[in-house]
Amino acid sequence: MAYPAFCSTNAGAAACSCFFVYFFALRYNIPWFDDYENIPYFLTRFLHAPDLAARVEALLRPNNEHRVLYARLVVLAQYYLTGGLHFSNLMLLGNASLVVIFWLLYRSLRWHETQPNRAVLGLLPVTLLLFTAQNYILTFTAVFSLQYLAIIMLVMLTIFALVHDKPLFFGIAVALGVLSTFSMGNGLIVWPAGAGALLLQRRWRASAGWLVLGGLSIYLYFRGYPVQQGNAAGFEYVVQHPFQTLAGVFIFAGCVFDLFPTLPFEKRIYLPFVAGLVLLVGLGIWFFQKIFRPTRPASRFEAFVAGSLLFLLANVLLICFFRLRFNFDLTLHNSYRIYGLTLWAIASVLLFSQLTESARARFWPLVWVFFLGINALTYLTYLPEAVERRKHMQGLAFNQQHSRIGLGGTRNSKLAHFIDSLTVMMHDRNWYSLPRPAITPSELQLLTPADSTPVNIPLQLLLKPDYLVVNNTQPGYHVGLNEGAYVVLKANQRTYLLFATRHRPLGVRPWQFSPGFTTAIPTAMVQPGRYRLGVFRTYPDRSLIQYTSQYVDIP
């Protein structure tokens, strides 16, 4: 076993290293939308609070339906350690949760395996599932990584401590459970998930105490909580669309196998549906055996796995029950993907624990190769999406700097003013400034009067009620880390940019992109007026600004 364990250790380290190379290559120090309320706005309220009660209120003030205590504590720690804010470093701290989740799964499997090398072997699929490019929006958004990733880490830490049958660990679990509760709305699930783990261990007294403390924590969570509407509509949707909701559960559970994000949604759901069905049936059989045919109390490993799975499965159900009424595409939503990835990671550890030595020798190398292929393929298919997302954010940062809108809100709206005022405030207080240049040094030429000599670039324009769609079908358009194009709207006093993405495949072959580019510019982001169209092209060694003879009137 020594040689395969050595190979497994190196392969796992390589998967983790590849992820962080990818992270550092693409990260950007740009806030976006929800970042503003949870980071600079919170920090201002906290620092200007007149007393302790006001500071606690700032820490616990809900953002939509979530209290986000952990994320705000991390922001405070960064501020007091550095004197400012750095959004890409906050992203890094959020993504560090993946390392903790991996460590927890390793430690739990060590409880089950008598030899450390065997636990190392069982963890290889975990690295390939967790350290992936699939959830790139979450990876590169500060508050998302400090919420979605961190809440999974916190809940698993809670259950890890809880399954130790010792009073000290029970106290640690309660403290972590309270922190989980106030760090995201779904952190409330830690209490029923933890109770499930304790009941499987037949720790009846601890279960009762855990539920009482959980009830108190939940009461405190909702104390002074603004009323949220919409849950009744969610239940109504489930009643009216039971089969669609059930299909959504399977698709969401199998979202790891959404391998080609450029394909139309209706062509992407089949493989996740089948994979999710297989996974949930397998987990259902395991839970049935543990609940209805137990031969002994669950071990620490089994209780930890069960509690963690209950938390993740509850999230799958809640999202499908309360979010699909808005858009069925949310079953494959990028920011929710981490729940499916972690679900499969834990399931792979559980599968390894159930196999005999002979079965491991025969089948586990195939499992390695299978998930290695999934990991490599999704880097190939999702890395271009992540690059385009980075360039899109750079264009929005340019707009925010020079047109005071871009990173959230519509023109002249309270939200746009809120974001602009916070951007200015962070700069004035020397906390943070938007990157300059946002894209390349030559971007400042866009602020000068447009060249009077037009260039013949065939752009097809379609002005919709909410968007100006700009298409181009010329071949040879490429997108790379330092290569791409931005559509330019140029008026006398204003300049707006939006990144031009590649056309999506027309058929079922995801590698065959149609020539040219397309972009949909939200008209509500642009002040009314007459604008000249142009293209700002960036290359590794130069940039090129081209204006056409075409104009468009934004109402």
Side-chain angles (χ1 to χ4, degrees), residues 244-286:
Q244 188 178 38
T245 304
L246 182 62
V249 171
F250 292 138
I251 294 167
F252 189 7
C255 62
V256 173
F257 294 88
D258 178 26
L259 304 178
F260 302 103
T262 57
L263 291 180
F265 174 79
E266 60 272 11
K267 296 179 180 178
R268 294 162 51 194
I269 62 175
Y270 299 108
L271 190 56
F273 176 87
V274 173
L277 177 62
V278 171
L279 175 68
L280 294 183
V281 168
L283 292 178
I285 292 172
W286 184 78

Side-chain angles (χ1 to χ4, degrees), residues 234-252 273 316-325 328 331:
F235 284 114
E236 183 179 342
Y237 174 87
V238 173
V239 172
Q240 294 176 352
H241 307 88
F243 295 109
Q244 188 178 38
T245 304
L246 182 62
V249 171
F250 292 138
I251 294 167
F252 189 7
F273 176 87
V316 171
L317 292 175
L318 287 174
I319 290 170
C320 289
F321 282 12
F322 296 116
R323 291 290 184 265
L324 296 192
R325 64 189 174 92
F328 193 74
T331 53

Side-chain angles (χ1 to χ4, degrees), residues 413-431:
S413 66
K414 291 183 179 179
L415 177 58
H417 176 71
F418 174 74
I419 288 175
D420 179 57
S421 63
L422 286 173
T423 303
V424 173
M425 179 272 294
M426 287 190 287
H427 175 76
D428 291 344
R429 295 185 181 182
N430 202 29
W431 290 358

